Amino acid sequence: MPAIDAVGEFETIQRLFKPLAHPEWARGLADDVAALPSRPGYDLILTKDALVEGVHFLPEDPLDTLAQKLLRVNLSDIAAKGAVPFGYLLACHWSERCGWPEREAFVAGLRRDQALFDIYLLGGDTVSTPGPLTFSVTMLGWVPAGRAVHRGGAKPGDVVFVTGTIGDGWLGLQACQGTLKLEQDRLDYLCRSYRQPMPQTEFADIILKSATASADVSDGLMADVGRIAESSNVRIELELEVTPLSAAADSWFSGRVDEMAALQQLASGGDDYQIVFTVPASQEEAIRREADRRHVRLTRVGQVVEGAGLIVRYHGEDATPEKTGWTHG
């Protein structure tokens, strides 16, 4: 049903988005552009993600948490490069159901995460659409010149680490859809993980300092490790049995008859927004100490060897599936 209190573009910008804007660079959102000063000695890092209703989020997802997820999936990309975020451009394609209360809820989510991650709105666009509700963000960050960590730097002899836990996003979608049978506190945790993933921004400086290659885990652990292997022209052997699981995911996993297939599902489901990265084996203990100091769970999940492509093993046996993760249209 169309919203009865729909509002115009300029009223939305002035009343809702202007308070989120950078006090200087965004020009009060009164211009068609933002003006960013250069930062000597740094490279500007940019990334962009879009969320489409019915494809990337559920129609019943609250708009405040949707706004947070929109920022966080982009912040995850910035962190994986070892960069520090500072602002974003936003495009809102409001569907007919989005009146003033819905827009207020969306902006409330943006406001919370701007404060949490110390970022500002720099500009963008807001339009109406007869199609599905759609948002996109272009996130900007700074990294010391020439030091951004890409997918293409892994070398034979490196080891592979991943932060946090894997599979909560995939299970969380099912929890939000009501198709998962677990204790209620487990379902609540998984649903939050799907709707409000927490990017590993506090680990970005360690990625910058020590990682040879890095990617955020958005399309599935196996898929994103495979992309590092391809970009680096190496082979990566991923050990499926050590995939780190949350207590909620472990509760689901403990009921699976085919454990290898269950881990393949968790490691290919995507929407985890952790960081998978490679470091020289000599750096392993130092990396673990830094993770402990930041209270970041860190798991060694594989190694880099001569060759090409991704090899997934389960207790030594080949377990490389045909589909390793989410593919975009």
Side-chain angles (χ1 to χ4, degrees):
M1 178 181 296
I4 61 174
D5 55 348
V7 291
E9 173 188 5
F10 291 103
E11 185 176 4
T12 297
I13 293 171
Q14 289 301 306
R15 292 177 59 186
L16 292 182
F17 289 122
K18 186 176 179 180
L20 303 182
H22 191 280
E24 181 181 359
W25 300 339
R27 300 187 176 188
L29 301 185
D31 207 334
D32 290 329
V33 300
L36 307 182
S38 62
R39 188 177 181 186
Y42 285 81
D43 290 334
L44 182 64
I45 301 296
L46 302 95
T47 186
K48 185 178 187 67
D49 272 301
L51 298 180
V52 179
E53 186 175 40
V55 179
H56 305 104
F57 64 93
L58 303 171
E60 59 268 27
D61 283 347
L63 288 190
D64 60 336
T65 62
L66 177 59
Q68 291 178 285
K69 184 170 185 176
L70 179 65
L71 292 181
R72 294 178 185 197
V73 301
N74 284 278
L75 287 164
S76 182
D77 277 321
I78 293 288
K81 301 303 103 184
V84 176
F86 76 92
Y88 64 99
L89 300 169
L90 170 69
C92 301
H93 301 247
W94 305 109
S95 66
E96 293 180 344
R97 72 178 177 92
C98 291
W100 192 255
E102 289 77 15
R103 298 181 190 207
E104 284 187 311
F106 182 80
V107 168
L110 296 178
R111 186 182 301 111
R112 285 199 296 270
D113 269 14
Q114 284 195 185
L116 180 61
F117 296 105
D118 191 25
I119 55 176
Y120 284 95
L121 175 64
L122 297 171
D125 197 16
T126 174
V127 299
S128 297
T129 176
L133 180 61
T134 303
F135 301 99
S136 71
V137 151
T138 301
M139 188 69 67
L140 294 80
W142 296 112
V143 67
R147 292 187 57 196
V149 183
H150 302 291
R151 292 174 179 168
K155 298 176 176 58
D158 286 354
V159 292
V160 185
F161 283 99
V162 69
T163 63
T165 57
I166 295 299
D168 292 336
W170 179 72
L171 290 172
L173 172 59
Q174 298 171 66
C176 292
Q177 291 174 318
T179 60
L180 206 61
K181 296 187 181 300
L182 289 173
E183 296 177 358
Q184 190 59 49
D185 62 330
R186 305 295 198 200
L187 294 174
D188 291 343
Y189 167 83
L190 291 170
C191 197
R192 285 195 304 272
S193 297
Y194 170 71
R195 287 178 171 157
Q196 297 168 288
M198 184 55 70
Q200 294 287 348
T201 55
E202 294 298 319
F203 209 69
D205 62 326
I206 301 305
I207 297 298
L208 178 66
K209 177 182 178 182
S210 302
T212 54
S214 178
D216 89 312
V217 184
S218 55
D219 296 332
L221 177 62
M222 293 187 291
D224 290 308
V225 169
R227 289 176 184 133
I228 290 177
E230 181 180 4
S231 296
S232 301
N233 294 312
V234 295
R235 171 173 290 183
I236 296 182
E237 297 177 346
L238 192 66
E239 299 164 9
L240 196 61
E241 68 273 12
V242 299
T243 303
L245 305 181
S246 66
D250 190 62
S251 180
W252 173 86
F253 175 73
S254 64
R256 303 302 102 184
V257 174
D258 189 338
E259 293 187 351
M260 184 183 78
L263 287 174
Q264 287 173 327
Q265 288 178 309
L266 294 171
S268 63
D271 254 5
D272 289 311
Y273 303 105
Q274 299 295 333
I275 301 177
V276 61
F277 62 99
T278 58
V279 295
S282 60
Q283 295 291 314
E284 179 169 355
E285 291 306 314
I287 289 289
R288 290 188 182 276
R289 286 195 299 271
E290 290 291 347
D292 288 343
R293 190 164 68 85
R294 288 167 168 76
H295 306 289
V296 172
R297 183 172 175 177
L298 195 64
T299 305
R300 177 175 168 172
V301 292
Q303 49 277 327
V304 183
V305 299
E306 297 281 357
L310 171 70
I311 298 295
V312 181
R313 303 193 190 282
Y314 182 68
H315 294 295
E317 299 295 324
D318 184 15
T320 310
E322 182 176 339
K323 183 178 180 180
T324 59
W326 172 267
T327 56
H328 300 269

